[in-house]
Amino acid sequence: MNRLKLIYTVLLTVSMVFFAKAQNTSTPDVELIEEKQPKRWLLYAQNNTDQEQEAFLIVQGEGFRRSADRPVIKKIPPNEKVLMITLIPLRGATPTYTKIFNYNNKLQSISKRKGEDDEAYVNIRPIIASEFTVFTEDNCDKCEVLINYLNDNHLKYRTLVVSKHKKVADFMFQHLKSDGHDGSKVGLPVIMHKGKKNYDIEDIDAFISSYDWSTLE
């Protein structure tokens, strides 16, 4: 009888150890996946659950054309992968980055502290004259053509997406009004560089061909 108890105890202990190891090596509910391509690094959030998740990412990098200067928060559908951010390495540099990545429970506490609908949530850095600033919106074909050109030619720029938050749109129109714009609807992309403002661009390819890109710092 004592021998059977000993065997049972040993088997139970082995099973518990095996289960604990299996738990430690299991796939996380949401994981950050890095995909390195020749000209860009892509960071994806992979949802490994059957429920929608919400992911939070902030990246601070060195040796890249640009990195996230504010958090990226996106909803991730069940069992799908969503692009969080694209990093463009600078030529001749050794790029490195640090990150903070969370999802759902931890993210909820962050959102409560920050307040997504509060004015403080969107903290827009002032326009710098020497910086090539592009105001874009989702599903904007002309914006995509311009951004692709900038990325393909490793040109440094800053993007502000007006469709993400009303305060970004207000910030854009504030600068346009100082240039004589009446504050009505404007065609995107809106470009601000060296004190000049370009908007309502009819032919984006012609604009790209004629622009003096040597003025970018």
Side-chain angles (χ1 to χ4, degrees):
M1 190 69 176
N2 290 336
R3 187 177 180 182
L4 288 175
K5 283 185 177 180
L6 178 61
I7 293 172
Y8 175 78
T9 302
V10 171
L11 290 174
L12 180 61
T13 302
V14 171
S15 298
M16 291 177 67
V17 170
F18 178 82
F19 178 78
K21 287 184 177 180
Q23 288 291 95
N24 290 335
T25 58
S26 62
T27 303
D29 289 346
V30 180
E31 59 184 322
L32 190 67
I33 297 175
E34 179 188 79
E35 181 181 309
K36 291 184 179 180
Q37 297 182 0
K39 293 185 178 180
R40 63 196 65 192
W41 293 7
L42 307 176
L43 299 183
Y44 293 91
Q46 171 71 50
N47 182 359
N48 298 313
T49 73
D50 295 326
Q51 297 180 339
E52 182 180 76
Q53 303 280 349
E54 198 168 28
F56 168 99
L57 174 67
I58 186 166
V59 172
Q60 293 294 329
E62 293 184 2
F64 295 99
R65 184 186 49 74
R66 60 191 289 264
S67 62
D69 56 359
R70 66 194 64 189
V72 177
I73 300 176
K74 291 188 178 182
K75 294 185 182 297
I76 318 298
N79 299 300
E80 288 192 19
K81 183 172 71 172
V82 172
L83 179 64
M84 296 293 287
I85 189 173
T86 300
L87 301 173
I88 311 295
L90 295 172
R91 291 177 182 174
T94 303
T96 59
Y97 69 86
T98 58
K99 65 182 183 297
I100 298 174
F101 180 69
N102 285 314
Y103 60 94
N104 270 18
N105 291 339
K106 293 181 180 179
L107 180 58
Q108 288 171 7
S109 64
I110 292 171
S111 297
K112 288 177 181 176
R113 290 199 305 271
K114 297 284 285 184
E116 290 190 16
D117 297 322
D118 295 342
E119 285 292 307
Y121 183 72
V122 178
N123 184 17
I124 305 175
R125 175 167 56 80
I127 296 290
I128 300 174
S130 60
E131 191 173 41
F132 192 85
T133 301
V134 184
F135 289 87
T136 71
E137 65 180 348
D138 295 333
N139 303 315
C140 170
D141 293 338
K142 292 179 181 179
C143 302
E144 185 175 351
V145 170
L146 177 60
I147 296 301
N148 286 341
Y149 177 85
L150 294 168
N151 288 339
D152 291 343
N153 289 274
H154 300 277
L155 297 171
K156 189 175 181 180
Y157 66 97
R158 175 193 182 193
T159 54
L160 291 168
V161 185
V162 300
S163 54
K164 294 294 185 184
H165 201 289
K166 182 179 181 296
K167 189 175 179 182
V168 178
D170 292 341
F171 178 73
M172 177 186 72
F173 279 113
Q174 175 186 344
H175 281 273
L176 289 178
K177 286 178 182 178
S178 67
D179 201 45
H181 191 272
D182 60 7
S184 60
K185 187 175 180 180
V186 65
L188 296 172
V190 169
I191 301 159
M192 299 183 187
H193 184 227
K194 299 285 187 179
K196 296 181 180 180
K197 301 175 180 66
N198 295 276
Y199 50 90
D200 292 334
I201 302 170
E202 293 186 6
D203 189 336
I204 191 66
D205 292 317
F207 172 83
I208 291 173
S209 298
S210 63
Y211 197 83
D212 184 5
W213 298 108
S214 64
T215 60
L216 268 68
E217 297 181 356

